[in-house]
Amino acid sequence: MSEVEGTVQGHRDGHGFLVRDDRQPDLYLSPQEMRAVLHRDRVKARVIRYDRKGRPEGRVLEILERKKTPIIGRLLHESGIWLVAPEDKRYGQDIMVPKNAIATATVGQVVAIELTEPPSLYSQPMGRVTEVLGEIDDPGMEIEIAVRKYEVPHRFSPETLSQAAGLPDKIRPADRRDRIDLTDVPLVTIDGEDARDFDDAVYCEPVKTGRGKNAFEGWRLVVAIADVSHYVKPGEPIDDDAYERATSVYFPRRVIPMLPEKLSNGLCSLNPNEDRLAMVCDMLITNTGEIHAYQFFPAVICSHARFTYNEVAAILANTRGPEAARRKEIVPHLLHLHEVYRALLKERAKRGAVDFETTETQIVCDDNGRIEKIVPRTRTEAHKLIEEAMLAANVCSADFIALAKHSSLYRVHEGPTPEKKTLLQNYLKQLGLGLSISDDPKPGEYQAIAAATKDRPDAQQIHTMLLRSMQQAIYTGTNSGHFGLAYEAYTHFTSPIRRYPDLLVHRVIKALLLGKRYNLLSGALESGTKARKGAGAEDEQWEATGAHCSANERRADEASRDVEAWLKCRYMREHLGEEFGGTVSAVTSFGLFVTLDGLYVEGLIHITELGGEYFRFDEARQELRGERSGVRYVTGSRVRVQVSRVDLDGRKIDFRMVHEGDDGAIVTRAKRDKAGGDKAVGAVAELAAVKEADRAVKAATKARKSSTARKKDSSTAHPVRAAKSAARQSTSKSTRRR
């Protein structure tokens, strides 16, 4: 059998997978194989067999590399033995800690641990505590865990802090040299209520010039972006840290910025009534939304006002309202922005760009960092206005770089893979819509289906399937276009404060404006007429940089989702046993994911909780159907559920389906029936009896499994594992007695 290399990906159930370097199907690693390796190890393995579905299983031959980053977990003391239970359950083993290696930590605290001895088939890994993070209930602890769990750089190097401290507080006379003064242009920033860094400002005015064939009537749209590249130079400490982070990471109540605060919230933030350096994209846009002409140039600007999305939306809705009265001198410019936005929308529709209406949520926390409420984030006309202005500037930057044939990072979004395309075609065929996508799909086909189905009861399900069929957008040096936006070339130019690719695009544009080329390898500007030496190596570096930025973007998203999931689990523990209405948000072979009404929290109804019959998953229709009753569950189905279990460590919430007369809803009805009196007390008692019966069944099942496992392992039982098992059983019994 063949030998392969790859990275181990553990699973919380004890087994794992080898994610192969050659991108072939993953190798399954049995729990026995996982005893000698850890999640994220790089290993060499051999394919030893294939299961009946043709999936390969592997055996680990050699550990090639072991990550040296600390593992985060909680310190436990069981039967006289100190150990750390990793917070990331993909690490399938607890790590033993000698008594003299626990530092100042106490039982139950969250710690960072460094391995001192690797695991083997017959022994657990050993380690020592390197950092004590605090108690699990400390405010913000979920963020401290996430940044370490996902290896998000969260501390700037001393060199970076020193360099940032040496930067000026305001722009200097020398900084204004060779820049166009736009301080008299009434540019404004429009951002969210909680925004602290403002990296874009906009202005619009109607334009009518020329006669005859040269006549132009439309709009002048000015998009000014903070000139981060003026302060962050290649090879300097700030640039090194920015590249390592590649993006800012956003958590509820906290941001881990890509740049030091002196830049992100100070020098590079387009604060109102303060002169700032900017890179400007100045565009002429026709009444039909086409970009007629554009130019880039460095400038000095001064934001005339800081608006929030809600303010602008209120002004656009009522130009005689109190919000408009307070900003009377700026209102005409906002109306011009709205008019150019409507023109850009016409061009968007003509291109066939895909546009789905989705519900985004915002977590509102209390002073202790716990969820107070979760509210839908409404996309107003103001949001869409800024989005279209930024899209226009981004597509101009891509066009400018492509015309110069200069290497850069493009934001690429490719169409569906053959497998996803076939799945979507089959799904649409089963629906009988009379609409489908071709074998070479275009964005307009997606948009046509979305528009034709937006008023159907199953619109959410259809739009979800359309979204899932598309690939993830990435950064790459190879321009393959942007499928979703229907652009032939697209790049990111508008957020250099929080995205490293945008900073690189600024450097490229600046070099081209000087008639030079930007060399990514050296960071130097080269003559435009000079023959490019080592062009192949530089192109490879652009690809590597794109892969790095894409990976760190995904890492930031995963860390943010992890924190939100932890907060939601903590929030839902207060609602255990309660009953809610909800909507099925996804259908899988193992159950239904349901989003609760009003709370916007998602959980799983396992397939075993759907009822006393066999449910079959139909991949083409994306539904679960009961074989006996014919009951169907699809995305968008309305259900009533009870919150049955919350797993804080696993970031999972489990629901139980509530049918009429279910015991599962008794406690909720008792709580909400204020006039029920003794009836409510009886209902609670009845629920307690049901729960006790559930516990008895689970305990009996667990005892049988434990007995079987002890018989199998009696000859090779390790004394430490035996002690741990006895301690856990003892703890479990005492908990049940309480």
Side-chain angles (χ1 to χ4, degrees):
M1 292 285 187
S2 59
E3 295 183 1
V4 298
E5 295 182 4
T7 303
V8 174
Q9 188 172 77
H11 191 279
R12 60 183 291 112
D13 290 341
H15 61 270
F17 299 92
L18 181 69
V19 181
R20 296 168 56 161
D21 292 344
D22 58 10
R23 298 190 178 183
Q24 294 300 307
D26 298 347
L27 265 64
Y28 172 80
L29 299 176
S30 68
Q32 180 74 6
E33 290 295 318
M34 289 296 294
R35 290 175 67 174
V37 296
L38 290 172
H39 171 62
R40 300 175 70 245
D41 282 351
R42 276 192 47 76
V43 303
K44 179 187 289 184
R46 175 182 291 129
V47 179
I48 57 173
R49 66 173 67 90
Y50 292 86
D51 66 11
R52 61 185 179 182
K53 292 185 178 180
R55 295 173 297 193
E57 181 176 340
R59 174 173 296 156
V60 176
L61 302 176
E62 179 186 355
I63 297 173
L64 303 175
E65 181 186 354
R66 176 153 280 150
K67 290 283 187 181
K68 298 187 184 302
T69 51
I71 298 171
I72 309 302
R74 294 183 70 182
L75 184 66
L76 306 176
H77 193 222
E78 297 183 353
S79 301
I81 298 169
W82 291 93
L83 52 92
V84 169
E87 202 281 336
D88 189 341
K89 296 308 174 186
R90 292 175 296 183
Y91 289 98
Q93 305 181 60
D94 292 342
I95 300 164
M96 297 178 61
V97 184
K99 185 178 180 180
N100 61 356
I102 65 170
T104 59
T106 58
V107 174
Q109 285 190 314
V110 180
V111 299
I113 192 166
E114 178 183 78
L115 288 184
T116 55
E117 292 183 25
S120 71
L121 290 174
Y122 306 105
S123 65
Q124 288 179 260
M126 301 281 289
R128 65 181 185 88
V129 174
T130 58
E131 184 182 9
V132 180
L133 302 184
E135 303 295 336
I136 190 67
D137 290 327
D138 288 348
M141 180 55 67
E142 68 280 358
I143 297 176
E144 296 297 331
I145 291 172
V147 296
R148 292 164 175 82
K149 177 178 175 181
Y150 292 95
E151 298 181 47
V152 175
H154 58 287
R155 295 191 182 103
F156 289 109
S157 67
E159 294 80 10
T160 291
L161 294 175
S162 175
Q163 185 187 351
L167 292 171
D169 295 322
K170 296 182 179 180
I171 64 174
R172 300 159 295 194
D175 297 328
R176 298 174 182 267
R177 195 175 301 140
D178 300 323
R179 290 178 179 271
I180 295 176
D181 190 336
L182 294 185
T183 53
D184 60 333
V185 176
L187 289 146
V188 297
T189 61
I190 305 175
D191 293 275
E193 278 73 5
D194 53 353
R196 295 178 61 195
D197 56 344
F198 313 116
D199 49 13
D200 57 80
V202 291
Y203 167 76
C204 184
E205 65 182 11
V207 173
K208 189 174 183 180
T209 61
R211 293 181 180 178
K213 292 182 179 179
N214 296 323
F216 173 81
E217 185 174 356
W219 308 95
R220 179 194 179 198
L221 174 62
V222 179
V223 174
I225 305 299
D227 190 358
V228 176
S229 63
H230 181 81
Y231 300 103
V232 182
K233 304 295 186 182
E236 293 183 347
I238 291 180
D239 185 58
D240 292 341
D241 270 7
Y243 174 77
E244 184 185 6
R245 296 175 180 225
T247 180
S248 296
V249 187
Y250 293 86
F251 300 109
R253 300 182 73 228
R254 181 178 170 187
V255 177
I256 297 180
M258 184 181 81
L259 299 172
E261 189 172 348
K262 186 160 186 179
L263 285 170
S264 59
N265 295 346
L267 264 178
C268 293
S269 183
L270 307 183
N271 301 326
N273 303 314
E274 293 185 23
D275 287 358
R276 289 288 185 258
L277 305 184
M279 282 296 294
V280 171
C281 180
D282 194 343
M283 296 165 274
L284 290 179
I285 297 174
T286 67
N287 288 326
T288 57
E290 294 181 10
I291 299 174
H292 178 73
Y294 65 82
Q295 62 176 333
F296 288 91
F297 53 85
V300 180
I301 70 158
C302 180
S303 170
H304 282 48
R306 183 269 203 254
F307 283 98
T308 67
Y309 289 122
N310 290 341
E311 267 187 292
V312 173
I315 291 171
L316 295 177
N318 182 7
T319 55
R320 297 184 179 180
E323 293 86 358
R326 285 196 298 269
R327 309 284 192 127
K328 189 162 43 176
E329 71 285 354
I330 302 289
V331 169
H333 305 303
L334 293 181
L335 294 177
H336 294 154
L337 280 167
H338 190 241
E339 287 165 351
V340 78
Y341 153 70
R342 292 168 65 181
L344 289 168
L345 278 188
K346 295 177 186 175
E347 172 60 20
R348 184 189 186 102
K350 182 179 175 182
R351 290 197 321 270
V354 184
D355 188 17
F356 298 120
E357 287 293 336
T358 57
T359 302
E360 295 184 7
T361 58
Q362 178 183 4
I363 292 177
V364 179
C365 295
D366 59 22
D367 293 337
N368 294 319
R370 303 291 180 248
I371 292 182
E372 190 174 279
K373 59 183 177 180
I374 302 173
V375 296
R377 195 190 295 268
T378 306
R379 281 183 77 232
T380 64
E381 287 283 282
H383 287 86
K384 298 174 183 177
L385 180 156
I386 289 298
E387 180 181 308
E388 286 299 324
M390 296 305 113
L391 290 178
N394 284 335
V395 79
C396 286
S397 66
D399 184 70
F400 185 63
I401 293 169
L403 287 175
K405 298 182 179 179
H406 194 299
S407 299
S408 183
L409 282 188
Y410 292 92
R411 183 65 168 177
V412 167
H413 181 227
E414 296 184 338
T417 62
E419 295 80 11
K420 289 185 175 182
K421 178 187 67 180
T422 301
L423 179 62
L424 180 61
Q425 286 173 332
N426 292 338
Y427 169 73
L428 294 172
K429 184 178 179 181
Q430 292 287 347
L431 284 180
L433 288 173
L435 292 170
S436 188
I437 60 171
S438 63
D439 290 334
D440 183 21
K442 300 293 186 290
E445 297 174 33
Y446 275 73
Q447 185 58 24
I449 296 170
T453 58
K454 65 179 182 180
D455 296 324
R456 286 174 55 112
D458 56 352
Q460 182 183 352
Q461 178 189 5
I462 297 169
H463 293 183
T464 299
M465 286 298 295
L466 291 172
L467 273 171
R468 287 178 181 168
S469 72
M470 293 190 284
Q471 298 186 58
Q472 190 174 32
I474 60 170
Y475 295 106
T476 175
T478 305
N479 177 29
S480 302
H482 197 293
F483 182 83
L485 294 173
Y487 286 131
E488 292 183 4
Y490 185 72
T491 193
H492 276 169
F493 164 79
T494 53
S495 296
I497 288 179
R498 60 187 179 89
R499 293 190 306 228
Y500 196 79
D502 302 52
L503 175 58
L504 290 177
V505 167
H506 276 232
R507 289 175 180 166
V508 170
I509 290 175
K510 276 185 158 183
L512 292 174
L513 291 175
L514 294 172
K516 298 181 181 294
R517 304 185 73 87
Y518 174 70
N519 188 314
L520 182 62
L521 289 170
S522 65
L525 298 185
E526 298 175 346
S527 171
T529 58
K530 181 180 175 182
R532 293 179 63 202
K533 293 181 179 179
E538 188 185 356
D539 290 342
E540 289 180 7
Q541 185 61 38
W542 279 107
E543 291 296 336
T545 300
H548 168 80
C549 292
S550 298
N552 284 12
E553 179 186 42
R554 291 192 296 271
R555 177 180 68 181
D557 289 341
E558 288 172 359
S560 298
R561 282 195 296 267
D562 188 82
V563 168
E564 290 188 9
W566 193 94
L567 289 170
K568 288 178 179 179
C569 286
R570 184 67 183 258
Y571 180 56
M572 291 308 295
R573 287 205 305 192
E574 301 171 8
H575 298 281
L576 273 171
E578 293 188 31
E579 178 186 334
F580 298 93
T583 303
V584 175
S585 52
V587 181
T588 70
S589 59
F590 53 85
L592 309 173
F593 285 96
V594 175
T595 301
L596 301 182
D597 298 343
L599 295 184
Y600 303 98
V601 171
E602 187 178 68
L604 173 70
I605 306 176
H606 195 267
I607 196 167
T608 56
E609 298 284 356
L610 293 179
E613 63 175 312
Y614 182 76
F615 280 83
R616 185 179 297 278
F617 177 61
D618 187 329
E619 187 178 27
R621 298 176 186 270
Q622 288 291 296
E623 70 176 21
L624 281 173
R625 182 190 293 266
E627 286 199 338
R628 176 173 52 80
S629 63
V631 172
R632 297 170 59 246
Y633 293 107
V634 297
T635 304
S637 296
R638 297 286 302 158
V639 294
R640 194 149 192 85
V641 300
Q642 180 198 37
V643 183
S644 61
R645 180 174 174 268
V646 175
D647 178 5
L648 197 60
D649 291 336
R651 314 289 196 265
K652 293 181 178 179
I653 302 169
D654 291 336
F655 298 147
R656 179 180 295 168
M657 187 73 79
V658 174
H659 302 286
E660 189 61 35
D662 272 3
D663 290 325
I666 294 172
V667 72
T668 306
R669 296 186 185 117
K671 285 181 179 179
R672 294 178 180 175
D673 187 357
K674 301 297 184 184
D678 294 337
K679 186 185 294 185
V681 175
V684 173
E686 186 179 350
L687 176 66
V690 172
K691 287 184 174 179
E692 189 60 36
D694 281 351
R695 289 194 193 100
V697 172
K698 290 176 181 176
T701 304
K702 185 176 180 181
R704 284 198 300 272
K705 289 181 178 178
S706 178
S707 175
T708 304
R710 282 197 297 272
K711 287 178 183 177
K712 288 182 179 179
D713 294 342
S714 60
S715 60
T716 59
H718 192 277
V720 173
R721 288 196 293 274
K724 283 173 55 184
S725 177
R728 284 172 176 154
Q729 289 178 16
S730 173
T731 304
S732 178
K733 289 177 182 177
S734 65
T735 303
R736 286 199 296 272
R737 284 197 294 272
R738 287 200 294 272

